[in-house]
Amino acid sequence: MDHGKTTLVKALTGTWTAKHSEELKRGITIKIGYADAGFWKCPKCEPPQCYTTKNVCPNCGSPTEFLRAVSFVDCPGHEILMTTMLSGAAVMDGAILVIAANEKVPQPQTKEHLAALEILGVKNIVIVQNKIDLVTREKALENYKQILSFIEGTIAEDAPIIPVSAQWEVNIDLVIKAIEEKIPTPKRDLSKPPLMYVLRSFDINRPGTSIDDLKGGVIGGSLLQGYFQIGDEIEIRPGVYVKKGNKAYYEPLYTEITSLQAGGKNVEKAYCGGLVGIGTKLDPSITKGDGLIGNIVGRPGHLRDPYTELTLDITLFERIIGLQEYQKVEKIKPNEAIVLNIGTATTLAIVRSVKDNIVEVLLRRPVCIAYKQRVAISRKVKGRWRLIGYGIVKD
Ligand code: ZN
C-alpha cells in the first residue's frame, strides 16, 4: 500500500530541507508531516531539464534562478486518518496524487483521496505514476491505462500523468514542470483582511526552559486571503474552552505576531500560498499539542461568530468510500451522529432534522466558517468514520 509518497517528497525537497536545517533548529517551522521545497530554473537549459530542486543546474552546472517556495502537506495514506487528510486538503492549492505503477488501480485509499479532492473542489491535480523502475514497460502501460479509466469523469480527468522513479530521481524535473503548469501560485487578494485556518499549533520550547527564555505559542496554517506581517494584532476564534461554575463557553484569543515563517524562511510578511508559521505572544501551553487546530485567525473584529448549529445542503455518495466491498450509502436520519470536517476543524454533530437534501445539525463544538464552504460528512461504518458525502453550508 506504499505508493512511495515519502520518497517522492524527499526527491522534491532534499536539498531545500537540508539547507534550512538552521531554521529548523530555531524551531518555528511547522511540523505538520510536511516538507518545504524550493523550485529553481536553469536560465540556460530548455524545459523540462531546466527545472530542478537545486541551486545549481544538475544538467549544465549553471547557477539556477529561484522560482517559488512550495509546501507539501502529507496526507496520511491510511483511511482511518481520512479526517486528517480533509483538514490538510482545506489548505491545499493543489494535489499530487501518487499512484504506484506496480499495483492495481485504484487502491481503496487512492479512491478515497480522489473523493476528498472532489468534495473539497481541489481541481489542480498532478498524478505521479511512481515506481516505474519496478515494472516492465508493458506493465507500466497497462497501469497507465488503468489510471486513465480511473480518473475519467472525475475532477482529475485533465490531470497530467507523470511516470516517475522517485527512488532513482527519474523525471523529477517533469514533476516540477507539471506542478508549475497545473498548480500555479494562487492570486493574492491583498485588499481583503487576512484569514487563515489553523492546521497545526505547538509549543517550541524545550522542557525545562526558564520563564524568561520562554517563546510564545506558534500556530501554523495557510492564508485564504490577505496577508499577515510582524507586529499585526490578531484574533483567534472560536478560541479556548472556558468553564466557569456551571457555564462553559469558548473565548476568543487576542495576541500579536512576533515572527513569521513561510517557505522555510523567516519573513516580514506572509501571503497566500504554502504554509505559514506564526510566532505569537500566546501562552505556549494553549498552542501545545495542536491545541488550536480548527480555529481561524484574522484581524480583531473581522471574524464572524462561530456556529453551533448548521443547515447543510447535502450530497451523498452512492457508495461508501474506502471500503473494499460495495456498500450503499443510506440516507441520513434524525438523531444520527456524524462527523463533519469544516475547514481544518473536525467535530461531532447530531442530526436534528432531515428534509430532502437539507439537514440541520447541532455541533458538539462551535466552529468558525470562512465562506459558504464545503463540509465533508463521515459516518461510522464497521467501527471507523467513513466518508459518505458532503454538504454546503446554508446561511
Ligand atoms: Zn542548465
Side-chain angles (χ1 to χ4, degrees), residues 96-123:
I96 303 174
L97 204 58
V98 186
I99 295 176
N102 61 346
E103 282 178 345
K104 207 173 154 358
V105 183
Q107 295 288 312
Q109 95 190 34
T110 311
K111 219 185 276 179
E112 203 163 50
H113 283 165
L114 185 58
L117 296 176
E118 203 122 25
I119 287 173
L120 294 150
V122 178
K123 289 189 221 75

PDB file of all heavy atoms in Angstrom, residues 96-123:
ATOM      1  N   ILE A  96      -0.939  16.389  -5.413  1.00  0.00           N
ATOM      2  CA  ILE A  96      -0.201  15.411  -6.200  1.00  0.00           C
ATOM      3  C   ILE A  96      -0.711  14.044  -5.768  1.00  0.00           C
ATOM      4  O   ILE A  96      -0.605  13.677  -4.602  1.00  0.00           O
ATOM      5  CB  ILE A  96       1.316  15.519  -5.944  1.00  0.00           C
ATOM      6  CG1 ILE A  96       1.788  16.939  -6.265  1.00  0.00           C
ATOM      7  CG2 ILE A  96       2.067  14.491  -6.763  1.00  0.00           C
ATOM      8  CD1 ILE A  96       3.237  17.184  -5.905  1.00  0.00           C
ATOM      9  N   LEU A  97      -1.314  13.361  -6.695  1.00  0.00           N
ATOM     10  CA  LEU A  97      -1.847  12.044  -6.406  1.00  0.00           C
ATOM     11  C   LEU A  97      -0.774  11.030  -6.808  1.00  0.00           C
ATOM     12  O   LEU A  97      -0.397  10.952  -7.969  1.00  0.00           O
ATOM     13  CB  LEU A  97      -3.128  11.838  -7.218  1.00  0.00           C
ATOM     14  CG  LEU A  97      -4.159  10.841  -6.748  1.00  0.00           C
ATOM     15  CD1 LEU A  97      -4.655  11.173  -5.345  1.00  0.00           C
ATOM     16  CD2 LEU A  97      -5.333  10.823  -7.720  1.00  0.00           C
ATOM     17  N   VAL A  98      -0.271  10.298  -5.823  1.00  0.00           N
ATOM     18  CA  VAL A  98       0.805   9.350  -6.121  1.00  0.00           C
ATOM     19  C   VAL A  98       0.218   7.951  -6.270  1.00  0.00           C
ATOM     20  O   VAL A  98      -0.454   7.448  -5.380  1.00  0.00           O
ATOM     21  CB  VAL A  98       1.873   9.359  -5.009  1.00  0.00           C
ATOM     22  CG1 VAL A  98       3.058   8.480  -5.403  1.00  0.00           C
ATOM     23  CG2 VAL A  98       2.348  10.784  -4.737  1.00  0.00           C
ATOM     24  N   ILE A  99       0.458   7.353  -7.431  1.00  0.00           N
ATOM     25  CA  ILE A  99      -0.065   6.013  -7.710  1.00  0.00           C
ATOM     26  C   ILE A  99       1.112   5.105  -8.049  1.00  0.00           C
ATOM     27  O   ILE A  99       1.968   5.465  -8.854  1.00  0.00           O
ATOM     28  CB  ILE A  99      -1.073   6.069  -8.886  1.00  0.00           C
ATOM     29  CG1 ILE A  99      -2.312   6.896  -8.471  1.00  0.00           C
ATOM     30  CG2 ILE A  99      -1.474   4.660  -9.324  1.00  0.00           C
ATOM     31  CD1 ILE A  99      -3.334   7.107  -9.571  1.00  0.00           C
ATOM     32  N   ALA A 100       1.170   3.940  -7.398  1.00  0.00           N
ATOM     33  CA  ALA A 100       2.283   3.017  -7.647  1.00  0.00           C
ATOM     34  C   ALA A 100       2.034   2.232  -8.926  1.00  0.00           C
ATOM     35  O   ALA A 100       0.946   1.708  -9.149  1.00  0.00           O
ATOM     36  CB  ALA A 100       2.451   2.078  -6.460  1.00  0.00           C
ATOM     37  N   ALA A 101       3.069   2.175  -9.779  1.00  0.00           N
ATOM     38  CA  ALA A 101       2.941   1.506 -11.075  1.00  0.00           C
ATOM     39  C   ALA A 101       2.871  -0.013 -10.929  1.00  0.00           C
ATOM     40  O   ALA A 101       2.474  -0.711 -11.847  1.00  0.00           O
ATOM     41  CB  ALA A 101       4.122   1.893 -11.972  1.00  0.00           C
ATOM     42  N   ASN A 102       3.270  -0.509  -9.763  1.00  0.00           N
ATOM     43  CA  ASN A 102       3.283  -1.968  -9.578  1.00  0.00           C
ATOM     44  C   ASN A 102       2.057  -2.488  -8.827  1.00  0.00           C
ATOM     45  O   ASN A 102       2.077  -3.570  -8.270  1.00  0.00           O
ATOM     46  CB  ASN A 102       4.575  -2.394  -8.864  1.00  0.00           C
ATOM     47  CG  ASN A 102       4.711  -1.762  -7.482  1.00  0.00           C
ATOM     48  OD1 ASN A 102       3.988  -0.820  -7.154  1.00  0.00           O
ATOM     49  ND2 ASN A 102       5.617  -2.274  -6.670  1.00  0.00           N
ATOM     50  N   GLU A 103       0.999  -1.671  -8.773  1.00  0.00           N
ATOM     51  CA  GLU A 103      -0.226  -2.106  -8.113  1.00  0.00           C
ATOM     52  C   GLU A 103      -1.425  -1.856  -9.017  1.00  0.00           C
ATOM     53  O   GLU A 103      -1.387  -0.988  -9.880  1.00  0.00           O
ATOM     54  CB  GLU A 103      -0.433  -1.337  -6.804  1.00  0.00           C
ATOM     55  CG  GLU A 103       0.413  -1.837  -5.660  1.00  0.00           C
ATOM     56  CD  GLU A 103       0.209  -1.005  -4.399  1.00  0.00           C
ATOM     57  OE1 GLU A 103      -0.357   0.103  -4.489  1.00  0.00           O
ATOM     58  OE2 GLU A 103       0.611  -1.475  -3.340  1.00  0.00           O
ATOM     59  N   LYS A 104      -2.481  -2.603  -8.743  1.00  0.00           N
ATOM     60  CA  LYS A 104      -3.716  -2.427  -9.483  1.00  0.00           C
ATOM     61  C   LYS A 104      -4.330  -1.063  -9.125  1.00  0.00           C
ATOM     62  O   LYS A 104      -4.240  -0.634  -7.981  1.00  0.00           O
ATOM     63  CB  LYS A 104      -4.682  -3.547  -9.074  1.00  0.00           C
ATOM     64  CG  LYS A 104      -5.703  -3.902 -10.129  1.00  0.00           C
ATOM     65  CD  LYS A 104      -6.457  -5.145  -9.648  1.00  0.00           C
ATOM     66  CE  LYS A 104      -7.839  -5.300 -10.182  1.00  0.00           C
ATOM     67  NZ  LYS A 104      -8.423  -4.313 -11.051  1.00  0.00           N
ATOM     68  N   VAL A 105      -4.916  -0.416 -10.128  1.00  0.00           N
ATOM     69  CA  VAL A 105      -5.525   0.903  -9.909  1.00  0.00           C
ATOM     70  C   VAL A 105      -7.044   0.782 -10.026  1.00  0.00           C
ATOM     71  O   VAL A 105      -7.519   0.137 -10.968  1.00  0.00           O
ATOM     72  CB  VAL A 105      -5.008   1.918 -10.956  1.00  0.00           C
ATOM     73  CG1 VAL A 105      -5.579   3.305 -10.683  1.00  0.00           C
ATOM     74  CG2 VAL A 105      -3.485   1.961 -10.972  1.00  0.00           C
ATOM     75  N   PRO A 106      -7.843   1.420  -9.123  1.00  0.00           N
ATOM     76  CA  PRO A 106      -7.368   2.185  -7.969  1.00  0.00           C
ATOM     77  C   PRO A 106      -7.316   1.334  -6.694  1.00  0.00           C
ATOM     78  O   PRO A 106      -8.115   0.440  -6.518  1.00  0.00           O
ATOM     79  CB  PRO A 106      -8.471   3.239  -7.820  1.00  0.00           C
ATOM     80  CG  PRO A 106      -9.718   2.524  -8.270  1.00  0.00           C
ATOM     81  CD  PRO A 106      -9.297   1.524  -9.304  1.00  0.00           C
ATOM     82  N   GLN A 107      -6.381   1.648  -5.823  1.00  0.00           N
ATOM     83  CA  GLN A 107      -6.373   1.097  -4.471  1.00  0.00           C
ATOM     84  C   GLN A 107      -7.439   1.862  -3.678  1.00  0.00           C
ATOM     85  O   GLN A 107      -7.708   3.027  -3.985  1.00  0.00           O
ATOM     86  CB  GLN A 107      -4.993   1.293  -3.846  1.00  0.00           C
ATOM     87  CG  GLN A 107      -3.892   0.521  -4.550  1.00  0.00           C
ATOM     88  CD  GLN A 107      -3.986  -0.971  -4.294  1.00  0.00           C
ATOM     89  OE1 GLN A 107      -4.139  -1.413  -3.169  1.00  0.00           O
ATOM     90  NE2 GLN A 107      -3.938  -1.766  -5.363  1.00  0.00           N
ATOM     91  N   PRO A 108      -8.034   1.237  -2.640  1.00  0.00           N
ATOM     92  CA  PRO A 108      -9.091   1.936  -1.889  1.00  0.00           C
ATOM     93  C   PRO A 108      -8.667   3.316  -1.392  1.00  0.00           C
ATOM     94  O   PRO A 108      -9.440   4.273  -1.448  1.00  0.00           O
ATOM     95  CB  PRO A 108      -9.353   0.998  -0.713  1.00  0.00           C
ATOM     96  CG  PRO A 108      -8.881  -0.340  -1.147  1.00  0.00           C
ATOM     97  CD  PRO A 108      -7.787  -0.115  -2.142  1.00  0.00           C
ATOM     98  N   GLN A 109      -7.437   3.446  -0.948  1.00  0.00           N
ATOM     99  CA  GLN A 109      -7.026   4.736  -0.397  1.00  0.00           C
ATOM    100  C   GLN A 109      -6.891   5.801  -1.490  1.00  0.00           C
ATOM    101  O   GLN A 109      -7.175   6.975  -1.269  1.00  0.00           O
ATOM    102  CB  GLN A 109      -5.735   4.584   0.414  1.00  0.00           C
ATOM    103  CG  GLN A 109      -4.482   4.879  -0.333  1.00  0.00           C
ATOM    104  CD  GLN A 109      -3.249   4.477   0.432  1.00  0.00           C
ATOM    105  OE1 GLN A 109      -3.232   3.506   1.171  1.00  0.00           O
ATOM    106  NE2 GLN A 109      -2.199   5.228   0.278  1.00  0.00           N
ATOM    107  N   THR A 110      -6.500   5.367  -2.694  1.00  0.00           N
ATOM    108  CA  THR A 110      -6.408   6.308  -3.808  1.00  0.00           C
ATOM    109  C   THR A 110      -7.806   6.824  -4.151  1.00  0.00           C
ATOM    110  O   THR A 110      -8.020   8.006  -4.413  1.00  0.00           O
ATOM    111  CB  THR A 110      -5.802   5.617  -5.049  1.00  0.00           C
ATOM    112  OG1 THR A 110      -4.618   4.939  -4.635  1.00  0.00           O
ATOM    113  CG2 THR A 110      -5.466   6.603  -6.129  1.00  0.00           C
ATOM    114  N   LYS A 111      -8.761   5.905  -4.118  1.00  0.00           N
ATOM    115  CA  LYS A 111     -10.153   6.246  -4.378  1.00  0.00           C
ATOM    116  C   LYS A 111     -10.634   7.270  -3.345  1.00  0.00           C
ATOM    117  O   LYS A 111     -11.312   8.243  -3.674  1.00  0.00           O
ATOM    118  CB  LYS A 111     -10.992   4.972  -4.272  1.00  0.00           C
ATOM    119  CG  LYS A 111     -12.078   4.863  -5.297  1.00  0.00           C
ATOM    120  CD  LYS A 111     -12.927   3.643  -5.050  1.00  0.00           C
ATOM    121  CE  LYS A 111     -12.330   2.378  -5.641  1.00  0.00           C
ATOM    122  NZ  LYS A 111     -13.150   1.184  -5.366  1.00  0.00           N
ATOM    123  N   GLU A 112     -10.264   7.024  -2.105  1.00  0.00           N
ATOM    124  CA  GLU A 112     -10.686   7.904  -1.015  1.00  0.00           C
ATOM    125  C   GLU A 112     -10.055   9.293  -1.162  1.00  0.00           C
ATOM    126  O   GLU A 112     -10.704  10.320  -0.985  1.00  0.00           O
ATOM    127  CB  GLU A 112     -10.293   7.275   0.318  1.00  0.00           C
ATOM    128  CG  GLU A 112     -11.130   7.787   1.471  1.00  0.00           C
ATOM    129  CD  GLU A 112     -11.035   6.888   2.687  1.00  0.00           C
ATOM    130  OE1 GLU A 112      -9.897   6.564   3.072  1.00  0.00           O
ATOM    131  OE2 GLU A 112     -12.069   6.529   3.246  1.00  0.00           O
ATOM    132  N   HIS A 113      -8.780   9.321  -1.514  1.00  0.00           N
ATOM    133  CA  HIS A 113      -8.094  10.603  -1.702  1.00  0.00           C
ATOM    134  C   HIS A 113      -8.736  11.407  -2.833  1.00  0.00           C
ATOM    135  O   HIS A 113      -8.974  12.595  -2.702  1.00  0.00           O
ATOM    136  CB  HIS A 113      -6.612  10.376  -2.002  1.00  0.00           C
ATOM    137  CG  HIS A 113      -5.821  10.039  -0.774  1.00  0.00           C
ATOM    138  ND1 HIS A 113      -4.559   9.515  -0.816  1.00  0.00           N
ATOM    139  CD2 HIS A 113      -6.123  10.166   0.525  1.00  0.00           C
ATOM    140  CE1 HIS A 113      -4.124   9.324   0.414  1.00  0.00           C
ATOM    141  NE2 HIS A 113      -5.055   9.713   1.243  1.00  0.00           N
ATOM    142  N   LEU A 114      -9.037  10.727  -3.922  1.00  0.00           N
ATOM    143  CA  LEU A 114      -9.652  11.426  -5.050  1.00  0.00           C
ATOM    144  C   LEU A 114     -11.044  11.939  -4.670  1.00  0.00           C
ATOM    145  O   LEU A 114     -11.415  13.057  -5.025  1.00  0.00           O
ATOM    146  CB  LEU A 114      -9.717  10.511  -6.271  1.00  0.00           C
ATOM    147  CG  LEU A 114     -10.231  11.168  -7.560  1.00  0.00           C
ATOM    148  CD1 LEU A 114      -9.379  12.353  -7.958  1.00  0.00           C
ATOM    149  CD2 LEU A 114     -10.285  10.169  -8.705  1.00  0.00           C
ATOM    150  N   ALA A 115     -11.772  11.120  -3.904  1.00  0.00           N
ATOM    151  CA  ALA A 115     -13.104  11.550  -3.446  1.00  0.00           C
ATOM    152  C   ALA A 115     -12.994  12.811  -2.592  1.00  0.00           C
ATOM    153  O   ALA A 115     -13.793  13.740  -2.728  1.00  0.00           O
ATOM    154  CB  ALA A 115     -13.770  10.431  -2.653  1.00  0.00           C
ATOM    155  N   ALA A 116     -11.988  12.854  -1.731  1.00  0.00           N
ATOM    156  CA  ALA A 116     -11.794  14.025  -0.873  1.00  0.00           C
ATOM    157  C   ALA A 116     -11.483  15.263  -1.713  1.00  0.00           C
ATOM    158  O   ALA A 116     -11.989  16.351  -1.450  1.00  0.00           O
ATOM    159  CB  ALA A 116     -10.679  13.764   0.122  1.00  0.00           C
ATOM    160  N   LEU A 117     -10.648  15.097  -2.740  1.00  0.00           N
ATOM    161  CA  LEU A 117     -10.316  16.228  -3.615  1.00  0.00           C
ATOM    162  C   LEU A 117     -11.573  16.723  -4.316  1.00  0.00           C
ATOM    163  O   LEU A 117     -11.787  17.920  -4.466  1.00  0.00           O
ATOM    164  CB  LEU A 117      -9.261  15.816  -4.646  1.00  0.00           C
ATOM    165  CG  LEU A 117      -7.895  15.430  -4.062  1.00  0.00           C
ATOM    166  CD1 LEU A 117      -6.972  14.952  -5.172  1.00  0.00           C
ATOM    167  CD2 LEU A 117      -7.274  16.607  -3.329  1.00  0.00           C
ATOM    168  N   GLU A 118     -12.397  15.770  -4.698  1.00  0.00           N
ATOM    169  CA  GLU A 118     -13.653  16.096  -5.371  1.00  0.00           C
ATOM    170  C   GLU A 118     -14.560  16.899  -4.429  1.00  0.00           C
ATOM    171  O   GLU A 118     -15.112  17.926  -4.798  1.00  0.00           O
ATOM    172  CB  GLU A 118     -14.337  14.799  -5.795  1.00  0.00           C
ATOM    173  CG  GLU A 118     -15.297  14.957  -6.917  1.00  0.00           C
ATOM    174  CD  GLU A 118     -14.959  14.075  -8.127  1.00  0.00           C
ATOM    175  OE1 GLU A 118     -14.293  13.032  -7.982  1.00  0.00           O
ATOM    176  OE2 GLU A 118     -15.352  14.448  -9.224  1.00  0.00           O
ATOM    177  N   ILE A 119     -14.689  16.401  -3.190  1.00  0.00           N
ATOM    178  CA  ILE A 119     -15.526  17.061  -2.180  1.00  0.00           C
ATOM    179  C   ILE A 119     -15.068  18.492  -1.958  1.00  0.00           C
ATOM    180  O   ILE A 119     -15.853  19.422  -1.869  1.00  0.00           O
ATOM    181  CB  ILE A 119     -15.421  16.320  -0.830  1.00  0.00           C
ATOM    182  CG1 ILE A 119     -16.165  15.000  -0.906  1.00  0.00           C
ATOM    183  CG2 ILE A 119     -15.983  17.171   0.314  1.00  0.00           C
ATOM    184  CD1 ILE A 119     -15.977  14.160   0.308  1.00  0.00           C
ATOM    185  N   LEU A 120     -13.761  18.670  -1.813  1.00  0.00           N
ATOM    186  CA  LEU A 120     -13.240  19.972  -1.454  1.00  0.00           C
ATOM    187  C   LEU A 120     -12.993  20.848  -2.670  1.00  0.00           C
ATOM    188  O   LEU A 120     -12.557  21.984  -2.552  1.00  0.00           O
ATOM    189  CB  LEU A 120     -11.968  19.807  -0.626  1.00  0.00           C
ATOM    190  CG  LEU A 120     -12.307  19.142   0.719  1.00  0.00           C
ATOM    191  CD1 LEU A 120     -11.158  18.319   1.220  1.00  0.00           C
ATOM    192  CD2 LEU A 120     -12.730  20.170   1.738  1.00  0.00           C
ATOM    193  N   GLY A 121     -13.271  20.310  -3.823  1.00  0.00           N
ATOM    194  CA  GLY A 121     -13.143  21.096  -5.042  1.00  0.00           C
ATOM    195  C   GLY A 121     -11.707  21.444  -5.404  1.00  0.00           C
ATOM    196  O   GLY A 121     -11.451  22.471  -6.017  1.00  0.00           O
ATOM    197  N   VAL A 122     -10.746  20.583  -5.021  1.00  0.00           N
ATOM    198  CA  VAL A 122      -9.347  20.813  -5.404  1.00  0.00           C
ATOM    199  C   VAL A 122      -9.164  20.331  -6.839  1.00  0.00           C
ATOM    200  O   VAL A 122      -9.163  19.135  -7.116  1.00  0.00           O
ATOM    201  CB  VAL A 122      -8.375  20.057  -4.448  1.00  0.00           C
ATOM    202  CG1 VAL A 122      -6.929  20.258  -4.877  1.00  0.00           C
ATOM    203  CG2 VAL A 122      -8.567  20.529  -3.013  1.00  0.00           C
ATOM    204  N   LYS A 123      -9.052  21.294  -7.763  1.00  0.00           N
ATOM    205  CA  LYS A 123      -9.044  20.952  -9.183  1.00  0.00           C
ATOM    206  C   LYS A 123      -7.639  20.800  -9.757  1.00  0.00           C
ATOM    207  O   LYS A 123      -7.432  20.148 -10.762  1.00  0.00           O
ATOM    208  CB  LYS A 123      -9.767  22.046  -9.988  1.00  0.00           C
ATOM    209  CG  LYS A 123     -11.259  22.075  -9.779  1.00  0.00           C
ATOM    210  CD  LYS A 123     -11.892  23.035 -10.770  1.00  0.00           C
ATOM    211  CE  LYS A 123     -12.985  23.863 -10.183  1.00  0.00           C
ATOM    212  NZ  LYS A 123     -12.610  24.954  -9.306  1.00  0.00           N
TER     213      LYS A 123
END
